[in-house]
Amino acid sequence: MGWALIADWSQQLDFIFKQDYYQQLLKFLEYESVRNKIIYPPKDQIFNAFDLSSFDNTKVVILGQDPYHNEGQAHGLSFSVPEGVSIPPSLRNIYQELESDLNIKPSKNGNLTHWATQGVLLLNSVLTVEKNSPGSHAKSGWVDFTDTVIDVLNEQKQNLVFLLWGTYAQQKAELIDQNKHLVLTAAHPSPFSAHKGFFGCKHFSQSNEYLKIHNQQPIDWTL
């Protein structure tokens, strides 16, 4: 079960694929497949975030935890769902904050591909999950992989924006040099916590102001 990253990501991350933990991760996923476990997202969408936001183009990183675990929801982009799928509660709250911050009316579409193609890396910390079993692949090796992605972005790029929502994502701040990059933290947009600091965080406008200051094209957050 070998997957390929697009060219510029592959150049940055090729060394990972030789690591023991990554080989163990592949064996784990193959074993789950042999046991007829249903894994989300589909195999050809696991690296969707990288396919849509190349290494060179990445300007903003929005870090999620693991993929949606219900049928038809996960497609390899954090917080996003395919077009035609009901918008999950956390994404509804993201849309609410967008409207408050930038007066962008909430979309009826939950597909965030438009963000990704502009250089928003919609990265989950864990890239696969078993159907109806949240967190089921949390110890499979994906965290080592995505922590290395953050390390490489931190070291090799300048003036990125990292949006870290919730306690889990905020733990990744220690991987980021805040003298080189902008790190914005807030409560998670989940209905359980959005009122504790996500609403009113204005991360979308702050991201664009930072990008403009550093002579980068701001993100068109409309959908």
Side-chain angles (χ1 to χ4, degrees), residues 210-217:
Y210 181 83
L211 293 174
K212 287 189 284 188
I213 288 169
H214 291 92
N215 300 312
Q216 298 186 72
Q217 185 70 23

Side-chain angles (χ1 to χ4, degrees), residues 5-222:
L5 290 168
I6 61 172
D8 73 342
W9 278 111
S10 182
Q11 291 167 11
Q12 297 294 332
L13 302 177
D14 185 61
F15 70 95
I16 292 178
F17 306 131
K18 303 177 181 68
Q19 301 293 317
D20 288 343
Y21 80 81
Y22 190 79
Q23 296 304 315
Q24 292 301 315
L25 169 61
L26 294 184
K27 290 178 182 178
F28 165 76
L29 293 171
E30 288 172 357
Y31 178 67
E32 294 296 276
S33 178
V34 168
R35 294 172 65 203
N36 295 317
K37 295 290 185 70
I38 298 174
I39 305 300
Y40 297 137
K43 180 181 174 182
D44 63 351
Q45 296 176 9
I46 289 173
F47 287 143
N48 210 13
F50 302 91
D51 292 340
L52 293 170
S53 181
S54 70
F55 180 81
D56 285 346
N57 197 39
T58 293
K59 297 183 285 191
V60 178
V61 181
I62 299 180
L63 188 67
Q65 191 161 354
D66 65 348
Y68 297 120
H69 57 86
N70 293 326
E71 184 175 1
Q73 289 184 308
H75 68 138
L77 303 177
S78 61
F79 295 102
S80 179
V81 292
E83 191 167 353
V85 174
S86 179
I87 298 174
S90 291
L91 185 53
R92 288 190 182 279
N93 287 337
I94 290 171
Y95 285 177
Q96 184 174 330
E97 175 58 23
L98 261 177
E99 183 173 25
S100 172
D101 187 10
L102 293 173
N103 200 30
I104 295 173
K105 296 297 182 184
S107 176
K108 295 180 180 179
N109 175 14
N111 189 332
L112 303 180
T113 294
H114 176 58
W115 294 0
T117 56
Q118 296 178 76
V120 180
L121 184 67
L122 295 163
L123 181 66
N124 279 316
S125 183
V126 178
L127 299 189
T128 57
V129 68
E130 183 182 338
K131 180 181 179 180
N132 298 332
S133 185
S136 50
H137 291 186
K139 298 181 179 179
S140 64
W142 279 127
V143 173
D144 292 324
F145 174 84
T146 54
D147 278 0
T148 303
V149 170
I150 295 171
D151 281 336
V152 169
L153 286 166
N154 175 61
E155 290 294 328
Q156 300 299 326
K157 293 182 72 75
Q158 297 276 350
N159 305 133
L160 295 174
V161 181
F162 290 86
L163 303 185
L164 307 182
W165 298 333
T167 302
Y168 181 85
Q170 289 166 23
Q171 293 171 356
K172 306 299 181 179
E174 66 186 25
L175 303 174
I176 304 162
D177 182 351
Q178 298 189 40
N179 293 314
K180 293 173 61 179
H181 308 288
L182 177 65
V183 175
L184 298 176
T185 62
H188 194 277
S190 159
F192 299 106
S193 56
H195 64 284
K196 297 179 181 177
F198 179 76
F199 291 138
C201 70
K202 299 189 180 297
H203 280 184
F204 303 103
S205 60
Q206 288 186 65
S207 297
N208 279 353
E209 286 302 315
Y210 181 83
L211 293 174
K212 287 189 284 188
I213 288 169
H214 291 92
N215 300 312
Q216 298 186 72
Q217 185 70 23
I219 305 298
D220 176 7
W221 296 106
T222 57

